[in-house]
Amino acid sequence: MENEIKEDKKVRNEKEGILNFGKEMISALLTAFIFIVYVIQAFTIPTGSMEKSLLVGDFLLGLKFIYGAPVLPNVPFVWENYLKFPGFTSPKRGDVVIFKYPGGEKKDYIKRCVAVAGDSVEIDVKRLIINDKELTPPPFARWENGGNLRQGIRDFSKLYIPKKGDTLNIANAEIREFIFYKHLIHQEHPRSKVSEKYQLFVDGVDFSDSIILLNINGRIVQGTFSTTDFDRLAMYSDWTFYLNHFDLYLNQFDDDAKVEIEKKLFLDGQEISKYVCKNDNYFMMGDNRDNSADSRYWGFVNRNFVKAKAFIIYFSLDEKVPAYLLPVKIRWNRLGKLIRNHDGGAE
C-alpha cells in the first residue's frame, strides 16, 4: 500500500513538472513574441550605404515602441499591418531610422533622417542645407565620388518636405516632385493601386503612342512615347530615370515647337490633381553620401512606413575575413556600440 502511494506521488510530481515546464515555456515564448513584435527589431546591415557609421555585417537592434509599435504583428504572405500604437516621439533630424522601402520591393532600409516635415532640403555638391542652413556631416560620413550623385546629378535643388495636412499640387508638379508624390501616396494607401499616365503633346497635338524618330548619339531609331514605357522605368523608383526618358523625347523637335508632357496620377482608378497628406514625411540619406539609394532618388519616407529607431550593435562580422577565422572575423570593438544621433547643428 505504501509503495502504491509513493508511486502515485511520483506520477503526480512528474505530471506537475511537465505541466510547469510547459507553462514556463509558453510564458517565455509569449514574452519573446511580444518583445519581438512590439519592442525591438533585429536588422543586419547588407550594404555600404551607411559606412563608416554602420558597417556591412553589423547586427543591430532597433526600438519599435519609440516611434509606435504595430497594433498587430505582420504575417508574411498574409497581411502587413500599418496600424500603430502612439509612439513616444517622432523621428528627429539625426536619428538613424529603420523603415519600409517606399518603392515596390518589400524590404527594410536603414538611413539617417536629415530633414523632417516642414523642412526644406537642398544639396550643393558635399553641402547639405536644411532650411537654408548648412549642416555639419556625421563624424564618419563619406563621399566616394567627390559629391557627384548617381545619373550625373551633382546638385539636388531645394525640396519641401510635406507635413500632415499639407495639400500637394500634383497637376502642376515637376517630374521629381510628381514621382515623390506618387511614392508618398502609395505609402499612405499601401493596399490601393497608385498609377500614372503620361502623354506627349507637340503644338497641342497628342503624339502619345505615335512612332517618333529619335536621334540617339547620331543614330536614328524609332521610338514610341507611351505609358507602358514608363511601367518599365517604375521598377527603379527613381525620378532621374524618368527625367532622362522625358529629355530623350523633348529634344527631338524643333526649338520653336511647343513640346509638353502631361502627367496624371490615379488612386484606385480615380484621377487626383490635389492630395491632402495624412501623415508627416521625412527625408532620409545614407552617411556614405555618394553610394546610397535614398530620398534623393525615391523621395519622402512617410510616417506610415517608419518602423524603428536604430539603437545598438549587438554583433558584427567582417565579411572579408573567412569563416574559419571566427575569432578574427568578429569585430569585437563594435559589440555593444550605441548608435548615435547627429543632427548637424539643425535648429
Side-chain angles (χ1 to χ4, degrees), residues 16-241:
E16 288 175 0
I18 293 172
L19 287 173
N20 287 335
F21 178 77
K23 289 178 181 178
E24 289 175 2
M25 282 297 295
I26 292 173
S27 176
L29 290 172
L30 185 60
T31 301
F33 176 77
I34 292 173
F35 200 67
I36 291 170
V37 171
Y38 298 106
V39 181
I40 65 169
Q41 174 174 352
F43 189 87
T44 306
I45 302 298
T47 71
S49 68
M50 283 294 290
E51 289 185 345
K52 298 282 188 174
S53 302
L54 297 173
L55 304 180
V56 174
D58 281 349
F59 294 76
L60 56 88
L61 296 177
L63 302 179
K64 290 184 176 181
F65 65 91
I66 295 293
Y67 299 143
V71 173
L72 296 172
N74 295 326
V75 180
F77 309 112
V78 180
W79 80 75
E80 195 158 11
N81 174 50
Y82 294 90
L83 186 62
K84 297 178 182 178
F85 291 110
F88 287 94
T89 186
S90 297
K92 300 289 191 299
R93 299 185 199 93
D95 286 0
V96 178
V97 181
I98 300 169
F99 55 91
K100 185 176 180 293
Y101 175 56
E105 299 174 83
K106 293 186 177 180
K107 59 183 178 181
D108 292 342
Y109 270 34
I110 184 167
K111 307 288 179 186
R112 192 178 299 277
C113 176
V114 299
V116 299
D119 285 347
S120 67
V121 56
E122 59 183 309
I123 301 164
D124 177 14
V125 192
K126 293 184 179 181
R127 300 169 63 231
L128 173 63
I129 302 165
I130 306 297
N131 300 330
D132 299 320
K133 178 181 179 180
E134 182 178 353
L135 303 190
T136 60
F140 297 102
R142 297 178 66 189
W143 291 266
E144 295 183 349
N145 197 29
N148 286 299
L149 309 182
R150 186 155 51 97
Q151 298 301 312
I153 296 176
R154 188 169 177 82
D155 303 322
F156 187 90
S157 60
K158 184 179 288 189
L159 176 74
Y160 173 77
I161 315 300
K163 61 181 182 295
K164 182 179 180 180
D166 280 350
T167 300
L168 309 180
N169 190 345
I170 298 169
N172 296 326
E174 297 294 329
I175 184 59
R176 180 184 66 171
E177 280 75 2
F178 182 83
I179 298 299
F180 288 2
Y181 292 164
K182 176 193 172 184
H183 294 159
L184 184 158
I185 294 169
H186 159 68
Q187 293 174 80
E188 296 202 333
H189 301 270
R191 295 184 179 89
S192 299
K193 182 180 180 181
V194 182
S195 59
E196 72 266 58
K197 180 180 180 181
Y198 303 95
Q199 291 175 280
L200 175 67
F201 291 90
V202 181
D203 292 330
V205 178
D206 188 354
F207 271 70
S208 306
D209 300 316
S210 301
I211 295 177
I212 303 170
L213 296 180
L214 303 176
N215 186 337
I216 302 177
N217 298 325
R219 185 168 58 95
I220 305 300
V221 299
Q222 289 186 349
T224 305
F225 187 96
S226 66
T227 297
T228 55
D229 291 340
F230 294 96
D231 289 340
R232 290 186 300 101
L233 297 176
M235 63 180 289
Y236 297 106
S237 299
D238 182 341
W239 68 276
T240 63
F241 285 93

Side-chain angles (χ1 to χ4, degrees), residues 241-255:
F241 285 93
Y242 289 78
L243 184 63
N244 292 339
H245 200 70
F246 279 10
D247 287 343
L248 181 64
Y249 285 88
L250 290 173
N251 296 330
Q252 303 304 317
F253 300 92
D254 295 335
D255 293 338

Side-chain angles (χ1 to χ4, degrees), residues 239-345:
W239 68 276
T240 63
F241 285 93
Y242 289 78
L243 184 63
N244 292 339
H245 200 70
F246 279 10
D247 287 343
L248 181 64
Y249 285 88
L250 290 173
N251 296 330
Q252 303 304 317
F253 300 92
D254 295 335
D255 293 338
D256 57 351
K258 184 180 180 182
V259 185
E260 299 174 295
I261 294 177
E262 185 177 278
K263 310 176 296 293
K264 294 182 179 180
L265 198 60
F266 300 86
L267 178 61
D268 284 334
Q270 296 292 318
E271 184 181 351
I272 48 176
S273 58
K274 292 185 181 295
Y275 180 82
V276 179
C277 295
K278 302 179 184 297
N279 302 289
D280 284 340
N281 296 275
Y282 306 92
F283 196 91
M284 307 289 184
M285 285 180 63
D287 288 355
N288 191 352
R289 294 288 169 83
D290 296 343
N291 188 23
S292 172
D294 51 38
S295 287
R296 291 170 291 179
Y297 303 104
W298 33 252
F300 318 108
V301 174
N302 190 264
R303 187 72 173 81
N304 201 31
F305 269 36
V306 170
K307 300 188 73 171
K309 181 178 181 180
F311 172 56
I312 191 172
I313 299 170
Y314 68 88
F315 196 61
S316 184
L317 292 173
D318 189 340
E319 63 172 3
K320 297 177 182 178
V321 178
Y324 64 83
L325 296 176
L326 184 59
V328 180
K329 189 177 182 67
I330 297 173
R331 299 187 183 107
W332 298 98
N333 63 323
R334 296 187 67 78
L335 305 192
K337 184 176 182 180
L338 296 176
I339 298 170
R340 302 293 184 182
N341 296 2
H342 180 83
D343 66 7

